[in-house]
Structure formats: structure tokens, C-alpha cells
Amino acid sequence: MTTRRPPAPEPFLWLLFSAGGMIAALFVPVLLFLFGVAFPLDWLTPPDHAHLLAVLRNPITRLVLFGLCALALFHWAHRFRYTLYDGLQLKRFSVPIILFCYGGAVVGSIISAYLLLRV
Amino acid sequence: MADQITLEVARYRPGLDTEPVMQSYQVPLREHWAILDGLTYIKDHLDGTLSFRWSCRMGICGSCGMTVNGDPQLTCATFLTDYAPGPVRVEPLRNFPVVRDLVVDIGDFMEKLPTVKPWMIRDVDSPVEEGEYLQTPEELDEYKQFSMCINCMLCYSACPVYALDPSFVGPAAIALAQRYNLDSRDEGAADRDDVLTSPEGIWACTFVGECSAACPKDVDPAAAIQRYKLTAATQAVKNFLLPRGAR
Amino acid sequence: MSLYHRPIPIFWWLERRSYLVFVLRELSSVFIAWFVVYLLLLINAVSGGSAEYERFLDRSGHWWVVAINVIALLFVLLHSVTWFGLAPKAIVVRMRGRRVPPRLVAVAHYAAWLVLSAVVAWVILR
Ligand code: SF4
Ligand code: FES
């Protein structure tokens, strides 16, 4: 408050990580269960194409899905970065690790925005 | 119940050994005997050269922390009967340099602790004649848990982040900073912020949570760290969005 | 004075069960990233028309895709459970000046999880 440091990135990255962790914890299990397990194994009948298209064209769905994709990717980026630091003791390679993780999240977010807008 | 139990004790003699060697001793297995009593028995009756630290024998001085069967424990508050029939491995606290046998060097923590200024800071001290700084029971509850720390270092011993990077400020020091940050009488949060939000501070923590599992006083340092992360992140967003005056 | 420093093994997280669980929890993020990729493939297929969507459904039935998704689901569940367990430590909720017990905050998270999952399932299966 009194110091005039340039804003460090860490608090913002942590907030993105946390928001991503929360939204992923809430939404991913049900989506993955339905589309990854229940439909492929014929436990439930998959929705028909027209219905899914209609759902995806709803702006609210698009917004939620974009938030989910982008934040979940930043969640991955942050956690994976520290997993490489601590789990494999690779902290000395922090620059390429940071570029790969957060860069991947940025690229992934752009791709998801593009795919969602195109629906 | 067998009347003896085996203690496998790590011995390290500086200058003579390059790494600790385990040595076994038979000690009486008595009800109400803590691991520390077993070690004292060894020292008094079997091998006077064994070195270890202790003082209060009642879980309050924080000097008897050791690694018992792989877990960080206060040896005066951990009972032999819970480990029967044994054997029990007693090693020095992990993550600290070993001085001799079960004695570790906690100088690193002693240097870090004052950097987070764990004392009452006031912008202006009001004169004694004006009386005490009053506090309600609710205000006390805000920080009481974090004030229970006895500096036993079990949390540092349990923390893999500290093991990998000893420059990490660490659980107890951050919990103690929060103990004062959350005290209604204190005004020093801004003074502590620089150290806490440095790369070696809260952001190095990956919330393994083992510090809180190890803590004998239920301080929950992991919670202290996460709470400060949220506080610091919210503050960072405010600093970013609001003009200087409005903060 | 010669102090002894215990070396740290590369795979230090194999030494304790709790460390292993920690590393698995952190690795759940990889499966969350995988889920995003899978979701984007689905979205792409849906916007490509109904034939494309059918092809996606066929592919998602391959045994190895199902296998990956089952493993991913286990990791994602580990993420959710650990996340809801830890979130109340960072989030201190106050109501009328009193701190809401962390237990209750955790329960609220589980309730939100249940409700949101039901809503999502309803939107998709309706
Ligand atoms: S926080 Fe707990 S484990 Fe850590 S030093 Fe204090 S009392 Fe010991
Ligand atoms: S001897 Fe004081 S805490 Fe154990």
C-alpha cells in the first residue's frame, strides 16, 4: 500500500488458478461423466445433434463454456508449473516452463474463443 | 504386554560419521512413558553419549521434535505404548541440518522469524495512562489459533516445499505473521506484506497441507497461508483497478 | 562443524502416502487440461454438422478413449473432493459479524456442486 512496486504477476496468476480450480471442480465431473463415459458406454442416450447445436448457440452457454475452458487451462498452467518445479525438481528451467504453461493457456483460450464463436 | 521395546535411534557424530547410523536399544515399555522417556532411559542407563534436546516434557517448549517412524512428532507427547510392539525408529527432524544425533540446527528459522515482524506494530503508540488496547472475545478468536504456535518446527519438517527450497519463509513464520495481521490491536500488516508476498513467501506454497497435519497445536499454518494468499490477491486487484487515492 | 544434510531423492513424493496423494492431486490438472481439449473437439464436431457429430460419438466409443476418460474422471473427482476440502481454509465467510464454521462452507460447496451438476445434466439431456 505504501510501497510502489510494479504489480507482481503472482497474485493474478493465483487468482486465475483458483477461479479455474473452482469452476473445474464444479463443472468438469458431470460433463466428463456424460460425454466421456455415459454416452460412449451407452448408459445414456446421447442428445441429438440439433439439440446440442441449439444449446451451444445460446450465448449464456458460450459464455460459461469459454469461462470454463480458459480458466481451467490457467488452472492447469499454474499447477503444472509447480508440479514440474517441485515434483521433478526442475525449478532451474523456470523460464521455458513458464512460457510453455501460461503460453499454452493463452493459446488454448484463444482457440476456445474461436471455436465457440464459430458454432 | 511385553515389558521391553526396541528404539532404533539415529546416531550422527560430526567429524566421525559421514551420515547417520541407526543404533538399537532396549528400553522398558511402561504405560505413560513417552518416546522422550525412552531416550532419557538410554542416556541414563545405556549410553551417555546420546544427544537430544528437551526441556518442558509437557508439550509446550517445542524443543523435543523428532522424526518418529517417519512422522514429525513431539517426543514428549508421543507414547511408547502406541508403537508397541515396536521397533520404533527415532530420527532427527527432517529438513534441518543435523548437528549431532537427534539435535538439529534451527538457525534458519530463527533468522526468518524476525523478518515477518511477529510483534505488535502501532502507527502511534497511545500512552500507558490511556489504558489497555481493548479487544472483544470475537476479536480474540480471529487470531487465537495462530497464537498457539510453540516454534517446534514440526511443520517445517513436514513441508516438502521447504525441503526443496530452504529459502521458503515457511509455515510457522507465516502463521505467526498472520497472528498479528489478524489482531485488532495491530496496524503492521503493510510492514509484513513485502516479505510475505515475496517469491519466497506465500506464493511458494503449493498447499500440500502437511504442515497442518503435523502441527501438535492445531495452528493450521496451511490455512494461515491460504487466507493470506486471498488477502494479498484481493489487494493486488484493488491496487491494479483503483486509483491510488481510493485504496 | 560438519553438519549432516539429508539428501532429497528425486521421487521424494514416493516416501510418504500423503506426499503421493499430493502429487496425484496436482497431476489432476493435466486431466482437466485433457478435458478442455476433449470438450473443444466436441464443440468443433457439433458445429461441423450432424455427420461430424456422429463421427465424434463413434470415436469417443473407442476403448482407449473411454479408458483415458475413465482415468480422467477419477482424477477430476479427486480434484473436486480435495478442492472442496481445502477451499474453506482460504475462504472465510462472515455472517452478521460471525465467522461461518468452515464445515458449513464445505457443505455449501458440495451443495453447489450437486445443483450445478443437475442443471448441466438437465440442459444436455432435456
Ligand atoms: S505452527 Fe505448529 S508445527 Fe509449526 S512450529 Fe508452530 S506449533 Fe510447531
Ligand atoms: S520437551 Fe517441551 S515440547 Fe516436548
Side-chain angles (χ1 to χ4, degrees):
Chain A
M1 280 156 269
T2 41
T3 44
R4 274 168 169 262
R5 272 182 304 174
E10 212 64 31
F12 300 96
L13 295 176
W14 182 79
L15 277 180
L16 287 172
F17 155 79
S18 303
M22 188 60 88
I23 195 168
L26 291 171
F27 286 102
V28 175
V30 61
L31 286 171
L32 191 55
F33 172 73
L34 289 176
F35 287 100
V37 183
F39 298 150
L41 292 182
D42 283 330
W43 295 351
L44 293 167
T45 19
D48 56 40
H49 177 256
H51 173 63
L52 269 194
L53 196 62
V55 169
L56 278 179
R57 286 204 167 136
N58 185 316
I60 296 176
T61 320
R62 287 189 196 180
L63 203 67
V64 170
L65 285 182
F66 175 70
L68 176 61
C69 291
L71 291 173
L73 286 174
F74 275 97
H75 171 81
W76 162 79
H78 198 69
R79 241 187 189 173
F80 195 60
R81 168 186 161 203
Y82 280 101
T83 310
L84 293 178
Y85 281 10
D86 296 340
L88 294 178
Q89 301 183 34
L90 296 176
K91 205 164 180 173
R92 57 186 181 281
F93 301 117
S94 67
V95 174
I97 288 176
I98 286 175
L99 287 178
F100 169 70
C101 290
Y102 299 113
V106 170
V107 172
S109 303
I110 295 172
I111 294 176
S112 27
Y114 168 74
L115 288 178
L116 280 164
L117 285 175
R118 217 184 49 152
V119 174
Chain B
M1 190 160 69
D3 52 355
Q4 298 262 309
I5 188 165
T6 307
L7 288 190
E8 291 174 355
V9 183
R11 302 298 308 267
Y12 172 71
R13 292 163 303 169
L16 292 173
D17 302 322
T18 48
E19 56 176 30
V21 278
M22 300 306 287
Q23 195 167 338
S24 295
Y25 301 94
Q26 295 285 324
V27 302
L29 175 59
R30 300 210 181 121
E31 223 187 329
H32 310 309
W33 260 30
I35 308 281
L36 184 62
D37 295 306
L39 294 174
T40 313
Y41 180 88
I42 297 174
K43 180 126 180 132
D44 290 346
H45 300 282
L46 305 177
D47 187 344
T49 65
L50 180 66
S51 305
F52 53 96
R53 279 202 190 109
W54 57 275
S55 176
C56 70
R57 296 187 295 169
M58 50 188 282
I60 204 65
C61 73
S63 55
C64 67
M66 296 170 207
T67 307
V68 180
N69 275 6
D71 299 325
Q73 302 280 9
L74 291 181
T75 46
C76 71
T78 310
F79 290 88
L80 284 173
T81 44
D82 292 335
Y83 292 88
V88 192
R89 273 175 86 86
V90 185
E91 296 162 281
L93 274 187
R94 303 256 159 93
N95 301 345
F96 291 97
V98 181
V99 177
R100 181 189 173 94
D101 296 343
L102 300 167
V103 178
V104 294
D105 177 8
I106 60 162
D108 178 55
F109 173 73
M110 299 315 277
E111 272 167 34
K112 279 173 185 158
L113 188 55
T115 65
V116 299
K117 305 191 179 151
W119 52 77
M120 203 72 74
I121 298 174
R122 301 280 301 181
D123 294 340
V124 189
D125 281 303
S126 45
V128 178
E129 303 80 67
E130 281 178 20
E132 326 66 346
Y133 298 122
L134 294 177
Q135 191 164 57
T136 65
E138 287 77 32
E139 287 168 334
L140 172 68
D141 282 343
E142 283 298 308
Y143 68 86
K144 186 163 177 235
Q145 175 186 24
F146 302 134
S147 74
M148 303 308 278
C149 175
I150 57 171
N151 299 8
C152 66
M153 301 293 98
L154 299 195
C155 50
Y156 284 73
S157 175
C159 175
V161 176
Y162 180 65
L164 293 163
D165 184 0
S167 65
F168 176 38
V169 175
I174 300 178
L176 285 164
Q178 270 295 69
R179 177 249 170 276
Y180 287 93
N181 280 344
L182 296 173
D183 190 322
S184 58
R185 301 163 296 179
D186 180 87
E187 296 168 339
D191 289 4
R192 299 185 189 99
D193 188 66
D194 270 0
V195 174
L196 292 182
T197 57
S198 68
E200 293 77 38
I202 48 173
W203 305 121
C205 166
T206 47
F207 209 163
V208 184
E210 280 299 281
C211 51
S212 295
C215 178
K217 294 287 161 188
D218 291 328
V219 171
D220 204 349
I225 299 175
Q226 307 322 307
R227 281 182 68 177
Y228 199 67
K229 279 183 188 170
L230 192 56
T231 310
T234 320
Q235 186 61 45
V237 171
K238 274 192 201 146
N239 287 357
F240 186 69
L241 295 179
L242 297 180
R244 228 154 252 287
R247 284 170 208 166
Chain C
M1 195 168 55
S2 46
L3 300 173
Y4 170 72
H5 294 261
R6 190 172 166 269
I8 303 163
I10 287 269
F11 300 112
W12 54 267
W13 33 268
L14 292 176
E15 282 195 333
R16 279 176 77 86
R17 223 180 79 96
S18 51
Y19 289 170
L20 183 64
V21 172
F22 159 72
V23 167
L24 292 178
R25 183 192 88 190
E26 301 297 287
L27 283 179
S28 69
S29 62
V30 174
F31 292 93
I32 287 176
W34 154 254
F35 164 77
V36 173
V37 172
Y38 189 71
L39 180 69
L40 291 178
L41 289 176
L42 169 68
I43 293 171
N44 187 40
V46 173
S47 45
S50 73
E52 189 99 346
Y53 175 58
E54 287 305 323
R55 219 169 306 136
F56 175 88
L57 287 182
D58 279 349
R59 274 197 218 125
S60 68
H62 279 314
W63 70 268
W64 59 271
V65 181
V66 178
I68 292 178
N69 281 330
V70 167
I71 296 170
L73 183 61
L74 292 176
F75 270 93
V76 168
L77 287 172
L78 175 69
H79 167 74
S80 297
V81 171
T82 50
W83 192 267
F84 298 145
L86 296 180
K89 294 208 173 204
I91 306 170
V92 173
V93 188
R94 261 169 246 279
M95 260 161 135
R96 289 196 219 100
R98 289 211 162 263
R99 181 171 177 187
V100 177
R103 196 51 102 56
L104 221 64
V105 179
V107 169
H109 278 89
Y110 276 99
W113 187 23
L114 212 74
V115 170
L116 287 173
S117 300
V119 170
V120 169
W122 177 74
V123 168
I124 292 169
L125 296 172
R126 178 166 52 128

